Amino acid sequence: SQKIEQNSEALNIQEGKTATLTCNYTNYSPAYLQWYRQDPGRGPVFLLLIRENEKEKRKERLKVTFDTTLKQSLFHITASQPADSATYLCAPTRRTYKYIFGTGTRLKVLA
Amino acid sequence: NAGVMQNPRHLVRRRGQEARLRCSPMKGHSHVYWYRQLPEEGLKFMVYLQKENIIDESGMPKERFSAEFPKEGPSILRIQQVVRGDSAAYFCASSPRQGEETQYFGPGTRLLVL
């Protein structure tokens, strides 16, 4: 069955450093992969979408890579700030409305 | 342009009562999706609706759960005879067209069953 793995342990990094989060998936081939941010008590907020034929995508301090051979996406936040502290969800998605989400990685940026 | 709105934000029910969760999609969006998030689990798809139609309810439990999206008014997720295991965060998302790649989520309704 389809499976998505994100680091279940929280990631603590120092302010100003680059945070790197990993999303691995198995048993299916997504057409695209999305990253969302979720703060406690709030709904997921869309950040970035990368398609299967794209290797990398950037938006301001965010960078996403998508390796369909490794079945992995990496999500980078450069020059991290305490305000970046949140849970980050990945959703590798086929051409369908049924999103499948990972459980998320909790990021804490220390001042 | 207001985002997806959900109410109530928090709902407490006793076992056996009914829970009604409401979702108003973003302006111009006619496709609504409901997801459930259990503690320490990822969001799970429940149902996809367009105005007056249920397109896919494959993720919704067969009993006690129902959803609608009437011609006028918000989408409603109804849970009858709630049990403790229904305690979760329920999120609604919307998109303007089927196949639109990005769904925009509301703030969720946190249901607690005592």
Side-chain angles (χ1 to χ4, degrees), chain B residues 22-42:
Chain B
R22 292 175 187 75
C23 168
S24 296
M26 285 178 73
K27 189 175 180 182
H29 288 196
S30 58
H31 301 259
V32 165
Y33 317 83
W34 285 92
Y35 291 79
R36 177 164 67 175
Q37 187 174 39
L38 293 166
E40 306 305 321
E41 291 190 20

Side-chain angles (χ1 to χ4, degrees), chain A residues 32-52:
Chain A
Y32 52 90
L33 190 147
Q34 302 184 79
W35 283 89
Y36 283 79
R37 169 185 172 141
Q38 187 173 22
D39 291 282
R42 307 240 176 179
V45 174
F46 170 74
L47 295 175
L48 275 171
L49 179 152
I50 186 166
R51 300 176 201 285
E52 59 184 337

Side-chain angles (χ1 to χ4, degrees), chain A residues 36 41 51 97-99, chain B residues 9 37 56 58 101 103 110:
Chain A
Y36 283 79
R51 300 176 201 285
Y97 44 79
K98 267 189 221 179
Y99 286 6
Chain B
R9 294 292 307 278
Q37 187 174 39
D56 182 348
S58 59
E101 289 162 341
Q103 296 171 13
R110 274 136 194 92

Side-chain angles (χ1 to χ4, degrees), chain B residues 52-65:
Chain B
E52 300 184 278
N53 287 305
I54 297 174
I55 307 302
D56 182 348
E57 56 184 350
S58 59
M60 205 155 65
K62 294 284 185 281
E63 296 180 356
R64 302 187 298 106
F65 284 71

Side-chain angles (χ1 to χ4, degrees), chain B residues 27-98:
Chain B
K27 189 175 180 182
H29 288 196
S30 58
H31 301 259
V32 165
Y33 317 83
W34 285 92
Y35 291 79
R36 177 164 67 175
Q37 187 174 39
L38 293 166
E40 306 305 321
E41 291 190 20
L43 287 109
K44 298 278 195 286
F45 168 84
M46 298 180 73
V47 61
Y48 163 36
L49 311 105
Q50 293 177 28
K51 283 284 186 183
E52 300 184 278
N53 287 305
I54 297 174
I55 307 302
D56 182 348
E57 56 184 350
S58 59
M60 205 155 65
K62 294 284 185 281
E63 296 180 356
R64 302 187 298 106
F65 284 71
S66 62
E68 62 178 17
F69 189 14
K71 188 176 179 182
E72 302 290 337
S75 175
I76 307 273
L77 179 68
R78 184 184 292 112
I79 311 172
Q80 296 177 302
Q81 299 174 323
V82 295
V83 301
R84 289 220 173 102
D86 297 333
S87 296
Y90 292 83
F91 292 97
C92 166
S94 73
S95 66
R97 289 172 293 280
Q98 183 178 16

